[in-house]
Amino acid sequence: MKRAQKPGSLSCRLFCSLREAAQQRSQPPRTPGVRAGKPRPAKPRPRQSPARKQVCPRPAAVRRALRFRLRPRGAARAQSAAPSPPMAGNVQAPAPVGARLQQDRKARSGWQGGARVWEETEQQAKKLKSSGDEDGEQHRKLPKRKIVLLMAYSGKGYHGMQRNVGSSQFKTIEDDLVSALVRSGCIPENHGEDMRKMSFQRCARTDKGVSAAGQVVSLKVWLIDDILEKINSHLPSHIRILGLKRVTGGFNSKNKCDARTYFYMLPTFAFAHKDRDVQDETYRLTAETLQSVNRLLACYKGTHNFHNFTSQKGPREPSAQRYILDMYCEEPFVREGMEFAVIKVKGQSFMTHQIRKMVGLVVAIVKGYAPESVLARSWGEAKVDVPKAPGLGLVLERVHFEKYNQRFGNDGLHEPLDWAQEEAEVAAFKEQHIYPAIVSTERHERSMAQWLSTLPVHDFSATAHAAAKVPSPLEGSEGDGDSD
């Protein structure tokens, strides 16, 4: 039986020391300052979401400057000025200690100057950028809205209303209008070259020699201050913008127009009988003749096939059907010793030359050159020779937007397009520019008298294929021109 060793005996102490030595030989050497035992596993770092990543709100140039400023003074300059390590075959002696201290001082002073230069350059760049973009920003900040303009113009000397893009030979009303819009700062210059960019649309396309007292165009412009005064300052005196109103974004002046009213001003000797002198300026219209004229004009009311009143439609084309709401002749008046009368016609739309031929056929019947039966025959499929009156006295007086006014006129956001407040200016423009131009041109050129002399050549009993073509004294002078 083995004897138990006493805890404090020599043999017990020797056994404990040998066991500790064996344990030390079996374990790896311990590093000073590190606790012995099982190594603690590395704690994984939480992955930061890209959405939570903090980004400095300052610009990139400012962030670079701040990082550069956080370095020790002279570190950047000293690092750039430090000599590169010597290469084989190109051994250079190190710079003296005094030279390195001097370079360090220059580096510290250079950083402060560089910071000042950087700040001044940045401020100058911002000033140049702000001054360069000042004009563009001013227009970009202005609202661009859809509006309508009420126009009045005298068509004498112009080849109609519609602009002929790429052709500067024939001057039109829209040429002067677009030029005034660009020069006044209402639209960019490229919008003047391509009118579709400003959603430009005219209500009626008046042609050569035709005037207007109530033309309406729709477009998008910058709503600058005193817009009407600035546009009119760049327009001639016989073209005026009389009114401006805001409309809905999808407004189209041609498609939203319900009806158009024209008037035709002519000397009353046009209604004198054919046995009377066609140039008798002393002629005065009697009440019986005026009543006969109104009776014939009332026959146009309603829907008829007006293919004989234009050169663009066939007898079976649906678009040749046009609806006339009203047509009548007003009481005559005297201007410069010559008596004139005004024939007014209101319809949904008109074709090219339609109004001029409607007036011409009534004049031919009243003077005795054509029977009244030709009026009803002209609405049939057979071609009828219908004379075309001169385009001098034709004027677009008003355009109507009844349906638009019923829907948007009282919604609290838009104004009704009735132009009641501008009626005084419209009447003043007609008295100042339209009526005097018609009277003076008729007295000097005598276009109506020349046209009346061609009526005997027409054969109203035959078709247009058998009738001789009679040249008009104003050939090429277009009339109403609301063609589709």
Side-chain angles (χ1 to χ4, degrees), residues 138-448:
Q138 182 181 1
H139 282 114
R140 280 194 290 268
K141 291 179 181 178
L142 290 174
K144 199 172 184 181
R145 298 290 183 262
K146 177 66 80 65
I147 64 167
V148 292
L149 298 177
L150 177 65
M151 292 184 61
Y153 54 84
S154 175
K156 182 180 179 181
Y158 289 89
H159 284 75
M161 169 71 180
Q162 187 173 3
R163 190 181 189 188
N164 300 318
V165 180
S167 176
S168 59
Q169 181 180 1
F170 303 104
K171 188 178 181 181
T172 63
I173 300 294
E174 289 180 3
D175 289 333
D176 290 348
L177 175 61
V178 172
S179 176
L181 292 174
V182 174
R183 294 170 63 186
S184 60
C186 298
I187 60 172
E189 188 173 357
N190 60 345
H191 287 197
E193 300 172 357
D194 187 2
M195 301 175 67
R196 293 174 299 180
K197 294 183 178 180
M198 58 176 170
S199 303
F200 185 90
Q201 185 58 260
R202 70 204 63 82
C203 188
R205 185 182 60 188
T206 58
D207 292 323
K208 180 181 177 181
V210 179
S211 303
Q215 174 75 277
V216 173
V217 297
S218 58
L219 69 160
K220 289 183 178 180
V221 298
W222 284 315
L223 293 177
I224 60 177
D225 296 334
D226 301 327
I227 182 171
L228 290 183
E229 290 77 4
K230 291 181 180 178
I231 297 176
N232 286 324
S233 64
H234 298 287
L235 286 173
S237 59
H238 54 272
I239 302 178
R240 292 287 96 181
I241 305 297
L242 303 180
L244 180 150
K245 290 187 179 182
R246 287 279 306 276
V247 291
T248 57
F251 183 86
N252 185 300
S253 60
K254 180 181 179 181
N255 298 337
K256 296 295 183 181
C257 181
D258 303 317
R260 300 159 177 86
T261 298
Y262 285 84
F263 73 81
Y264 190 90
M265 182 176 171
L266 75 167
T268 57
F269 64 75
F271 297 117
H273 195 266
K274 62 181 179 180
D275 298 333
R276 194 182 181 98
D277 185 12
V278 296
Q279 298 184 7
D280 187 6
E281 297 183 3
T282 62
Y283 176 82
R284 295 297 180 262
L285 188 64
T286 62
E288 293 79 11
T289 306
L290 179 60
Q291 184 179 1
S292 178
V293 170
N294 282 323
R295 180 176 55 83
L296 292 173
L297 293 176
C299 297
Y300 286 116
K301 294 181 182 180
T303 302
H304 301 285
N305 190 337
F306 286 96
H307 73 96
N308 278 314
F309 295 81
T310 183
S311 58
Q312 300 178 350
K313 304 294 181 181
R316 298 185 179 181
E317 292 188 34
S319 58
Q321 300 284 335
R322 299 297 166 122
Y323 178 58
I324 305 300
L325 284 80
D326 198 8
M327 192 169 185
Y328 60 93
C329 181
E330 295 181 342
E331 292 290 334
F333 56 92
V334 179
R335 290 291 180 95
E336 299 182 10
M338 186 182 300
E339 189 180 58
F340 288 86
V342 172
I343 298 176
K344 288 192 176 183
V345 53
K346 180 181 180 181
Q348 284 184 343
S349 61
F350 300 94
M351 298 177 289
T352 304
H353 304 158
Q354 179 182 343
I355 297 178
R356 293 168 59 185
K357 286 199 171 188
M358 292 167 68
V359 173
L361 187 57
V362 170
V363 169
I365 295 174
V366 173
K367 293 187 73 67
Y369 289 106
E372 293 188 16
S373 60
V374 72
L375 191 61
R377 188 160 51 91
S378 65
W379 298 326
E381 292 189 2
K383 292 291 290 183
V384 177
D385 185 14
V386 179
K388 180 177 61 177
L392 173 64
L394 187 60
V395 178
L396 173 64
E397 185 178 38
R398 183 184 297 272
V399 291
H400 307 270
F401 301 94
E402 282 86 359
K403 294 182 181 179
Y404 176 85
N405 292 338
Q406 291 176 3
R407 182 174 181 181
F408 299 103
N410 298 319
D411 62 352
L413 300 175
H414 306 89
E415 301 178 74
L417 302 181
D418 53 8
W419 311 107
Q421 298 179 357
E422 290 79 8
E423 287 184 358
E425 297 184 34
V426 171
F429 185 88
K430 289 191 293 186
E431 293 289 341
Q432 186 177 0
H433 295 281
I434 296 180
Y435 294 154
I438 295 175
V439 173
S440 62
T441 305
E442 178 61 35
R443 295 189 66 88
H444 291 87
E445 299 181 4
R446 306 194 64 82
S447 59
M448 179 59 68

